[in-house]
Amino acid sequence: MTQPPNTAGQAQGKPLQDFLITRKWPARHPERIQLYSLTTPNGAKASIALEELGLPYEAHRIDITANDQFTAEFLSLNPNNKIPAILDPDGPGGQPLALFESGAILLYLAEKTGRLLPQDGAQRYQALQWLMWQMGGLGPMFGQLGFFYKYAGREIEDARPRERYAKESRRLLGVLDQQLQERDWLLGRGEAAYSIADIAIFPWVRNLVVGYGAAELVGFDEFKHVQRVLAAFNERPAVQRGLLVPAAGSQP
């Protein structure tokens, strides 16, 4: 199909109603951050961060079964046709900002509020390294494992893809378990150590167990520290709220 021009980088100076995406998903509260998402691990990163930070936002459900992500309206915000994406009417300099990629959204929201990302140089870069680790390793590997173990890929008779991703997922869980041995969160002990790194990683860990049902396949019971921190993550009220966003009845 022919894709519309990439307007995601042309946000500054435009009134919110001038964004093409708002024609399909009208903003009832145009003064709030507009979130275009789904209840997937990557989608949960954005909604959990918004809930943790207490930022006013309006959620719009992108129905991938109806190919919403390929509509001209959605592609005008994210030419990569993936969720989540946001439209902040009060971006840098008070101008609207359109943004996609869950890691970039986490970083933006943390810097916008001055929270969930340490200001100290060393701690800041440690948070960013774990954010990048999730984006480049854990997320893609867990996603591939889910495809070959639970979804259409399981119909492939060749077991090597599933075994490859199961082995790599297990290795990554070992890396994470070691990091958490004497820590409450990725960056250390106590509530102050909780950061966007944890928000990036644990929706994927949760989905590996709950969504994909792959705990036994990867030997999840062996990773006691990952289990402990996942349980603490799941108990956070903001996490519990964020995991339900957007609701099935969200517009349109």
Side-chain angles (χ1 to χ4, degrees):
M1 65 177 291
T2 301
Q3 296 189 2
N6 179 4
T7 58
Q10 302 172 6
Q12 275 62 22
K14 294 176 59 175
L16 194 63
Q17 63 269 23
D18 286 352
F19 285 85
L20 181 61
I21 195 166
T22 63
R23 300 177 192 175
K24 184 173 178 63
W25 291 278
R28 298 174 182 172
H29 304 281
E31 74 282 2
R32 302 179 184 178
I33 292 174
Q34 304 295 305
L35 170 66
Y36 307 90
S37 192
L38 197 61
T39 53
T40 66
N42 281 334
K45 293 182 201 176
S47 54
I48 289 172
L50 287 163
E51 290 288 342
E52 291 280 10
L53 294 167
L55 287 168
Y57 71 98
E58 182 176 358
H60 305 274
R61 187 173 186 271
I62 306 303
D63 187 353
I64 60 174
T65 64
N67 289 325
D68 279 350
Q69 72 276 27
F70 295 113
T71 60
E73 292 86 357
F74 187 78
L75 289 171
S76 71
L77 186 64
N78 183 1
N80 196 41
N81 62 269
K82 303 290 183 181
I83 61 93
I86 64 169
L87 179 54
D88 185 359
D90 184 25
Q95 299 298 314
L97 174 69
L99 195 64
F100 63 91
E101 283 297 324
S102 58
I105 292 171
L106 287 180
L107 183 56
Y108 170 69
L109 295 176
E111 292 188 332
K112 178 182 176 72
T113 59
R115 295 170 55 200
L116 296 179
L117 182 64
Q119 301 301 309
D120 171 73
Q123 282 277 292
R124 176 184 175 85
Y125 286 112
Q126 287 173 15
L128 293 178
Q129 79 176 354
W130 286 106
L131 175 63
M132 302 301 173
W133 180 80
Q134 184 279 315
M135 294 163 57
L138 185 138
M141 291 302 107
F142 282 16
Q144 292 286 4
L145 177 59
F147 176 78
F148 284 102
Y149 181 65
K150 181 173 181 178
Y151 298 112
R154 65 183 177 180
E155 299 173 2
I156 299 174
E157 293 183 4
D158 188 344
R160 286 175 295 180
R162 187 187 70 179
E163 292 172 356
R164 180 198 187 286
Y165 292 119
K167 181 179 180 179
E168 179 62 6
S169 295
R170 180 180 173 83
R171 185 191 71 81
L172 290 166
L173 285 168
V175 173
L176 183 59
D177 200 68
Q178 182 176 10
Q179 175 67 13
L180 295 171
Q181 280 185 5
E182 298 181 359
R183 294 175 172 87
D184 298 325
W185 304 106
L186 266 295
L187 299 185
R189 292 190 178 276
E191 178 66 15
Y194 182 71
S195 74
I196 58 173
D198 302 288
I199 296 174
I201 290 169
F202 283 99
W204 274 103
V205 177
R206 178 183 180 276
N207 198 63
L208 179 72
V209 176
V210 176
Y212 299 152
E216 184 176 353
L217 180 65
V218 299
F220 190 71
D221 287 347
E222 300 176 23
F223 303 105
K224 300 302 183 183
H225 301 294
V226 175
Q227 292 180 55
R228 168 179 53 83
V229 180
L230 175 62
F233 182 76
N234 287 336
E235 290 174 0
R236 298 180 69 90
V239 170
Q240 294 173 10
R241 294 191 301 269
L243 288 170
L244 300 177
V245 176
S250 299
Q251 65 181 99

